[in-house]
Amino acid sequence: MTANCRFLKTAFRYVYTCGAGLPFVLVWASEQTNPVSYERDVAPIMKAHCVTCHGAENPDANLNLSTLSGIRKGGIGGPTLVSGKSQGSLIIERMKGHGGKPRMPLGFAPLTESQISTVARWIDEGAKADAGSQLHWAYVAPLRPSLPKVKEVAWPRNSLDYFVLKALADHGLKHNPPAEKSTLIRRVYLDLTGLPPTPSEVDAFISDKSKFAYEKVVDRLLASPQYGERQARFWLDLARYADTDGFADLPRTAWMYRDWVIKAFNQNMPFDQFTIQQLAGDLLPGNNFDRLIATGFHRNSMFDAEMGGDPEEAHLNVIADRVSTTSTIWLGSTLQCARCHDHKYDPFTQKDFYALAAFFSKTSSTPTNPGEKKGRWVEPTLEVPTKRQVAQREKLRANANLIDREMRKWTPEKRAAMAAWKNEVLNPKWTVVEPKVESNAGGAFRPLPDRSIIALGIAPSKDLYELDVSGLTMKATGFRLELLPDESLPKKGSGRADDGSFVVTKIVATLDGKPLKLAAAAADEEDSDFPASSVLEGNEDGGWAVFENVDKPHELVISFGSPIDLKTPNRLRLKVYQYFEEPKSVIGRFRLSLTENKDPECWVASANLMELLKKPTPTKSEVETMEKAFFASAPMLKSHRQTLAQIKKDLDALSEGIATAMILQENADATPLKIPLRIRGEFINKGPDIEANTPSVLPPIERKKRVDRLALAKWLVSRKNPLTARVLANRLWEQSFGRGIVETSEDFGSRGSLPSHPELLDWMATELQKGWNVKAMQRLIVTSSTYRQSSIPSKKMLERDPKNILLARGPRVRLDAETIRDASLVFAGILNRKIGGPSVFPYQPSESTEANVDWKESHGADAYRRSLYTFMQRGYPYPLFQVFDIANRSECTARRVNTTTPLQALALLNDRGMKEAAEAFACRMLGSSKDDKSRLVFGFRVCTSRHPNTRELADLQALLLKLRTRYNLDRKSSIALAGSPERAAWTMVGNVLLNLDETINRN
């Protein structure tokens, strides 16, 4: 038998089919002859197995099996059924493969005998439609069932056990005995905290003979801060939390949302409030930081940060993801299928999809390029400074305001200085020079009559102009580089780029080969992202540039740190770098001048300002413009400006250190929320506007006032909603048992699995609705007799129920990726239990990281934080986690699928982090005792929580002896591995213990 099984429900019956195709019946109740329901029993079979080919759109053989009318109508082969006669019905013949025709469904696994029998019974009973409305089970509100009557009344510890015990009795199975105490405590520690117990904690539990010893352990774990971290691991998969955007995969700051989730679980926030704050915390009264941070839930969507594409279309994709995520988490429904058309299997229409999308259509977003079909729509972020940061910022701003007021306060001296400044700007004193010019790219130049120079030939992608000036006698304080437009250049500009622009990335000056300090730079005009000052920094991604008025002359003025004494034959050399990434962004025509004026950068003025300064009677606003320019450049105010510039730098540095959170905010508006339906899901093919609403198959949303995200959140956790409580109960069950009562926890629809214990699921759902107490439900689960059973199966159990669907034994589950690493750090004694804060960067192979994420490897304690805090890169998940099936968080993940591959063994044996853990673990074992046997027993207990048996201990002793011999003979390898032969031997023993099957599984 294989584990590849399918669990299917017919009326009052479950059929369990093994991979070998041998069915056997698990009777849910006594054999009955209740009428077969089309909606409940037949339609799910058709939708799950037939409508892929025989659906409503272009059905094969013109046979539509997605509706009752289509089944009755038949296809090109004639009627599919004869009412009351299954033996003469074509559909049954084709399902069985009789008559020499292929067995249906063609190309897929055949239907089981029980499924065929269900369809046949329905036909024999007249192939009738159901009387009244027969909804799929998941869309009917749960009713609290009574506890089943059981014979073994001593076994149940709480209500959950009654449902499990009744199912076992109905199927002729018996439950397992309780697990060993050492196994049980390890199980519950890993389930509730994601960390294993220490040997002393195991010993304390075993020695506690009180009646409620186990319950005390459970309560302590539920109250521990590690509980919230464990629960957050599951929720962050659902919330598709990551530290990068996806697509271009640029880094983002999202960790405050992750910390909010941990805090919410630790505080046992009721799940209804947990839901409301994440979906609509910004719409709740009061300006509460925590509630705003909670809305980061829907900011976790992938985000296209590239400056291409249509920003509205990119935003629509984000909205669609929010609809899909919301429906998966709270409704257990694959609603994204309805983005382009009505859902093929479940009763959700395309209108339902866009009605939900409308709830997210008015969230605040700012276009970076308004009116242009490029760029992106950026949603808000929230600064969350500490009290100290708030005080520092207030002090800096107060100082800046004080200096600014002092600078703008007029005095007779300032009036005189402004007059002098005006005269100097209008009558600049520059000495034009004719330098010798060389091009690093091999270009040629020609001097022009106005003593300017123009570049000739084909424009290179990048260049470096070297300007040599000699034969002068003066004390130069600075130089001016004029960029002059020319008819022969692109767009009649001064640059050689296709749009007439240029970018000067860096300028370096030397005098007789000795470097000169360049103190300041100013320009008559500059792009906001390409200021003149950047030429002093030399960043090839930027520089000084003018992109707007390319057909006008422009000037760049740079002052020396101190005046330079030019005398013949001194040689001044200026290197003008033009290394911008855009091709041909080089200078086309220019002119060089020198000056002896003090602070030459202070006399630079734009063409518009020059015109104002020449006006004999300027207006009041023009005078204000000139005064503003004076304050911004006058030499007498230079110290004020420098102080303000330093304060700005300090404020910028402070802002970089302030934590930020991505949040949602609603654009307040009284009009109804609505969004255009997209025909066939095509962005450009707009249909009618759809107002915000909930799916028509589910109970209606309350409409006392304008419905918004807050109304949606409250509707999701309403008692009338049949899905949310069931989905949550199923998810909590899955966390402890490795499999949900509904195995397809992401899909409660007709294509999903049916519940193995439907009454248990409904009981748990109605229990949750009383107060949405997640900790209380988890306590019920882990204190049940069902959970406490031994996981060792009997032969009969494996034959009858290999996947443990009926829960005759305790759960045995492979640890998830994060827990495997965390447990190894605990075993090694190096786990850093700090909670929260920015993500960290533990070691990973350098080739595993995309270049756009600067993986600055964390050192010290940060290298050993819990895996929850590892920087989560969507495009390149942490390699060790990826091997163990972590979700890449590109979309909501309700269920990880565990695989078993050779790569996992290779990773555990060779990953650097695991090797470091093994080395630290070896030190722990060596320090635990003075004799080898005690050390080995200690190491084995640390990893498994139990004592080794005689054979296991003998195997470990033999391994240690073999390793000692090997490393004493090969001292070079031992030193490279751990520093000495003895430590090397124990490191490899530790490596083996960390790789035990029992270490990486929860029994």
Side-chain angles (χ1 to χ4, degrees):
M1 294 211 174
T2 72
N4 182 21
C5 308
R6 194 167 186 81
F7 199 56
L8 302 152
K9 181 182 179 184
T10 62
F12 294 95
R13 174 180 295 201
Y14 283 85
V15 178
Y16 196 86
T17 308
C18 301
L22 303 174
F24 64 91
V25 177
L26 305 177
V27 181
W28 179 252
S30 58
E31 288 293 336
Q32 303 204 23
T33 57
N34 294 37
V36 178
S37 160
Y38 169 74
E39 292 289 347
R40 184 187 64 214
D41 304 317
V42 177
I45 294 174
M46 298 295 178
K47 289 179 179 179
H49 299 278
C50 305
V51 300
T52 300
C53 302
H54 300 286
E57 297 179 12
N58 302 318
D60 288 0
N62 203 28
L63 174 61
N64 178 11
L65 297 179
S66 66
T67 64
L68 179 57
S69 59
I71 296 172
R72 287 172 172 170
K73 180 181 177 182
I76 60 175
T80 59
L81 57 84
V82 179
S83 181
K85 296 182 180 180
S86 62
Q87 288 190 355
S89 295
L90 179 62
I91 192 169
I92 299 299
E93 296 296 313
R94 298 307 304 274
M95 285 178 176
K96 291 182 176 180
H98 293 173
K101 297 294 182 72
R103 186 172 182 178
M104 294 294 168
L106 189 65
F108 296 93
L111 272 66
T112 67
E113 291 300 322
S114 177
Q115 290 170 319
I116 297 171
S117 173
T118 298
V119 179
R121 277 185 57 204
W122 174 67
I123 295 171
D124 289 335
E125 291 168 1
K128 299 175 183 177
D130 296 331
S133 175
Q134 294 288 324
L135 288 174
H136 181 67
W137 68 270
Y139 308 131
V140 179
L143 297 175
R144 191 175 183 86
S146 301
L147 297 185
K149 292 182 179 179
V150 296
K151 292 181 179 179
E152 196 178 346
V153 293
W155 189 72
R157 293 178 184 270
N158 59 42
S159 301
L160 309 183
D161 294 325
Y162 285 90
F163 297 99
V164 174
L165 187 59
K166 180 65 167 62
L168 290 173
D170 286 344
H171 296 91
L173 288 173
K174 288 192 174 183
H175 59 78
N176 251 359
E180 295 287 338
K181 292 187 79 173
S182 59
T183 300
L184 182 59
I185 189 174
R186 186 175 191 270
R187 180 188 298 174
V188 76
Y189 259 77
L190 289 168
D191 271 356
L192 294 184
T193 68
L195 301 175
T198 64
S200 60
E201 288 169 329
V202 175
D203 289 340
F205 175 57
I206 292 173
S207 62
D208 188 346
K209 306 300 182 184
S210 63
K211 183 178 180 181
F212 299 106
Y214 176 68
E215 284 78 3
K216 287 190 291 186
V217 169
V218 170
D219 290 339
R220 178 165 51 81
L221 296 179
L222 288 172
S224 74
Q226 283 69 46
Y227 167 80
E229 293 178 309
R230 177 59 172 167
Q231 287 302 112
R233 203 294 280 155
F234 297 105
W235 188 258
L236 295 180
D237 269 5
L238 293 165
R240 69 270 191 248
Y241 168 86
D243 293 300
T244 59
D245 289 335
F247 300 111
D249 224 22
L250 298 173
R252 59 166 49 161
T253 303
W255 59 267
M256 291 204 77
Y257 168 75
R258 177 243 291 147
D259 289 0
W260 179 89
V261 173
I262 296 169
K263 180 181 176 182
F265 278 117
N266 276 332
Q267 292 177 343
N268 198 25
M269 180 183 289
F271 188 76
D272 57 345
Q273 291 304 309
F274 185 71
T275 296
I276 290 167
Q277 291 192 27
Q278 290 184 89
L279 291 179
D282 59 309
L283 298 175
L284 293 170
N287 191 20
N288 184 290
F289 270 20
D290 275 358
R291 291 172 182 171
L292 290 173
I293 291 169
T295 64
F297 166 78
H298 265 323
R299 289 296 307 281
N300 287 321
S301 307
M302 287 182 66
F303 178 64
D304 187 356
E306 294 182 324
M307 299 301 280
D310 189 305
E312 186 181 355
E313 182 177 12
H315 191 62
L316 178 63
N317 290 335
V318 170
I319 291 174
D321 171 77
R322 289 169 182 172
V323 173
S324 172
T325 299
T326 302
S327 62
T328 298
I329 293 177
W330 282 278
L331 302 179
S333 300
T334 55
L335 212 70
Q336 67 267 34
C337 298
R339 179 177 179 178
C340 304
H341 49 73
D342 290 351
H343 203 295
K344 289 189 175 183
Y345 307 111
D346 296 327
F348 299 115
T349 65
Q350 189 182 18
K351 183 178 178 181
D352 288 335
F353 180 90
Y354 287 95
L356 280 175
F359 283 106
F360 303 99
S361 63
K362 285 287 183 73
T363 54
S364 177
S365 57
T366 306
T368 53
N369 293 286
E372 296 187 25
K373 291 294 183 181
K374 62 180 180 178
R376 53 184 177 174
W377 284 4
V378 179
E379 294 183 285
T381 57
L382 174 72
E383 281 193 344
V384 189
T386 64
K387 290 182 180 179
R388 182 180 178 184
Q389 288 170 329
V390 170
Q392 286 178 317
R393 184 156 60 183
E394 288 177 353
K395 182 178 179 181
L396 286 170
R397 286 175 175 173
N399 289 341
N401 290 335
L402 182 65
I403 294 168
D404 187 65
R405 285 196 302 270
E406 183 182 334
M407 184 173 71
R408 295 177 186 280
K409 184 178 179 181
W410 284 105
T411 62
E413 291 80 10
K414 285 182 185 176
R415 292 293 181 190
M418 183 171 178
W421 169 81
K422 179 179 177 180
N423 181 63
E424 197 73 40
V425 170
L426 289 173
N427 303 286
K429 298 180 179 64
W430 290 101
T431 302
V432 177
V433 296
E434 297 180 60
K436 179 183 177 183
V437 185
E438 292 182 2
S439 162
N440 195 48
F445 299 91
R446 184 178 76 240
L448 298 176
D450 63 354
R451 304 175 76 182
S452 66
I453 298 169
I454 190 166
L456 306 174
I458 299 172
S461 292
K462 299 178 180 180
D463 209 341
L464 163 61
Y465 295 173
E466 297 191 40
L467 315 181
D468 280 349
V469 179
S470 58
L472 291 177
T473 301
M474 63 186 301
K475 279 191 174 290
T477 56
F479 61 89
R480 177 179 67 176
L481 191 66
E482 294 177 88
L483 282 298
L484 305 173
D486 194 90
E487 292 283 336
S488 67
L489 295 173
K491 304 294 182 181
K492 299 180 182 180
S494 54
R496 306 188 74 182
D498 294 339
D499 61 358
S501 67
F502 60 86
V503 181
V504 177
T505 55
K506 182 181 180 181
I507 293 182
V508 174
T510 59
L511 182 63
D512 292 335
K514 296 179 180 179
L516 295 174
K517 181 182 178 182
L518 302 181
D524 69 307
E525 190 173 335
E526 59 190 14
D527 186 88
S528 59
D529 292 328
F530 293 82
S533 58
S534 59
V535 300
L536 307 181
E537 300 165 2
N539 186 348
E540 292 181 14
D541 293 333
W544 171 58
V546 178
F547 295 123
E548 296 298 325
N549 300 311
V550 295
D551 59 344
K552 300 287 192 300
H554 299 289
E555 62 180 1
L556 171 69
V557 176
I558 296 178
S559 61
F560 297 118
S562 57
I564 60 170
D565 195 3
L566 286 176
K567 296 178 182 177
T568 305
N570 288 357
R571 187 177 69 171
L572 172 67
R573 168 169 286 195
L574 303 177
K575 292 184 177 182
V576 182
Y577 292 83
Q578 300 144 81
Y579 282 177
F580 190 58
E581 55 189 11
E582 291 294 327
K584 300 191 292 185
S585 295
V586 295
I587 297 170
R589 182 183 171 193
F590 63 94
R591 183 165 54 207
L592 181 66
S593 307
L594 297 175
T595 186
E596 293 183 319
N597 275 16
K598 187 179 180 182
D599 302 314
E601 79 280 0
C602 295
W603 314 112
V604 179
S606 67
N608 291 336
L609 179 60
M610 294 286 279
E611 291 298 321
L612 289 182
L613 294 174
K614 292 175 184 176
K615 290 184 88 172
T617 54
T619 65
K620 182 180 179 181
S621 63
E622 289 171 340
V623 169
E624 290 175 351
T625 300
M626 289 187 284
E627 289 177 347
K628 185 177 179 181
F630 168 73
F631 292 137
S633 60
M636 75 174 298
L637 300 173
K638 188 174 182 179
S639 62
H640 290 75
R641 290 195 300 272
Q642 288 175 339
T643 303
L644 286 173
Q646 184 58 51
I647 290 175
K648 184 181 182 301
K649 285 183 179 180
D650 293 342
L651 281 169
D652 290 343
L654 181 64
S655 294
E656 287 182 9
I658 293 175
T660 59
M662 302 187 300
I663 62 171
L664 282 186
Q665 283 186 322
E666 192 80 351
N667 281 330
D669 193 337
T671 59
L673 294 170
K674 57 186 178 181
I675 195 171
L677 182 145
R678 259 60 180 198
I679 298 169
R680 293 187 299 275
E682 297 170 352
F683 168 70
I684 60 173
N685 201 352
K686 291 185 179 181
D689 283 349
I690 306 297
E691 285 195 15
N693 206 347
T694 48
S696 54
V697 71
L698 298 173
I701 194 170
E702 191 175 284
R703 289 185 172 272
K704 289 182 179 179
K705 53 184 180 179
R706 175 180 180 264
V707 295
D708 53 17
R709 282 184 286 115
L710 182 57
L712 173 65
K714 290 180 177 179
W715 172 82
L716 285 170
V717 292
S718 160
R719 284 179 177 269
K720 295 179 181 178
N721 191 315
L723 285 163
T724 300
R726 280 187 176 126
V727 172
L728 175 60
N730 189 69
R731 190 171 295 130
L732 295 174
W733 190 268
E734 181 182 18
Q735 287 178 19
S736 293
F737 288 92
R739 179 191 184 279
I741 296 171
V742 176
E743 184 171 12
T744 53
S745 49
E746 72 283 359
D747 186 3
F748 275 48
S750 60
R751 294 274 287 185
S753 303
L754 286 130
S756 59
H757 298 72
E759 289 188 329
L760 171 59
L761 183 63
D762 281 359
W763 189 93
M764 292 173 65
T766 55
E767 184 70 14
L768 276 168
Q769 286 178 332
K770 290 180 180 180
W772 295 103
N773 191 326
V774 172
K775 279 190 179 182
M777 180 54 67
Q778 285 193 289
R779 189 182 192 281
L780 248 141
I781 292 171
V782 301
T783 56
S784 67
S785 290
T786 306
Y787 179 84
R788 298 193 203 190
Q789 296 176 98
S790 166
S791 61
I792 302 172
S794 66
K795 184 177 180 182
K796 183 179 180 180
M797 288 177 190
L798 288 176
E799 289 175 350
R800 294 291 306 274
D801 190 10
K803 285 184 72 176
N804 196 29
I805 290 171
L806 292 172
L807 304 167
R809 59 186 183 273
R812 186 178 192 275
V813 183
R814 209 277 316 281
L815 301 182
D816 56 36
E818 295 93 333
T819 306
I820 288 174
R821 177 177 174 271
D822 293 348
S824 72
L825 297 177
V826 172
F827 301 150
I830 57 176
L831 176 68
N832 176 7
R833 295 180 183 246
K834 176 186 173 184
I835 294 177
S839 297
V840 294
F841 300 82
Y843 167 80
Q844 70 169 346
S846 57
E847 62 271 16
S848 300
T849 305
E850 177 91 7
N852 57 7
V853 171
D854 186 9
W855 193 273
K856 295 179 180 177
E857 187 177 327
S858 298
H859 299 284
D862 274 353
Y864 308 113
R865 297 282 305 279
R866 284 196 74 166
S867 301
L868 182 73
Y869 304 111
T870 297
F871 188 89
M872 180 64 197
Q873 187 179 359
R874 281 190 166 112
Y876 293 81
Y878 192 64
L880 180 66
F881 299 163
Q882 196 170 11
V883 169
F884 282 97
D885 312 306
I886 193 175
N888 68 6
R889 306 269 174 84
S890 296
E891 58 185 5
C892 170
T893 303
R895 179 170 54 120
R896 291 188 190 179
V897 178
N898 276 358
T899 63
T900 301
T901 70
L903 279 176
Q904 293 167 348
L906 287 170
L908 291 177
L909 288 167
N910 298 294
D911 179 81
R912 175 176 152 182
M914 296 301 294
K915 289 169 71 176
E916 284 185 358
E919 188 173 358
F921 187 26
C923 292
R924 269 194 87 189
M925 288 188 284
L926 284 166
S928 66
S929 179
K930 293 185 178 181
D931 66 280
D932 291 345
K933 179 180 177 181
S934 297
R935 290 168 175 172
L936 292 170
V937 170
F938 172 78
F940 190 90
R941 288 197 67 206
V942 164
C943 291
T944 67
S945 297
R946 67 175 178 86
H947 286 270
N949 59 37
T950 304
R951 180 175 177 180
E952 290 166 337
L953 184 56
D955 287 344
L956 286 173
Q957 289 173 320
L959 173 66
L960 178 61
L961 179 62
K962 183 177 180 179
L963 289 168
R964 273 182 174 149
T965 303
R966 172 187 169 182
Y967 285 119
N968 277 314
L969 292 173
D970 186 2
R971 299 183 68 85
K972 184 177 180 181
S973 294
S974 70
I975 291 170
L977 176 64
S980 70
E982 184 68 4
R983 285 188 62 177
W986 280 99
T987 296
M988 293 309 297
V989 169
N991 191 261
V992 169
L993 290 172
L994 293 177
N995 280 270
L996 292 178
D997 178 77
E998 197 170 343
T999 301
I1000 65 169
N1001 281 276
R1002 173 178 61 67
N1003 291 313

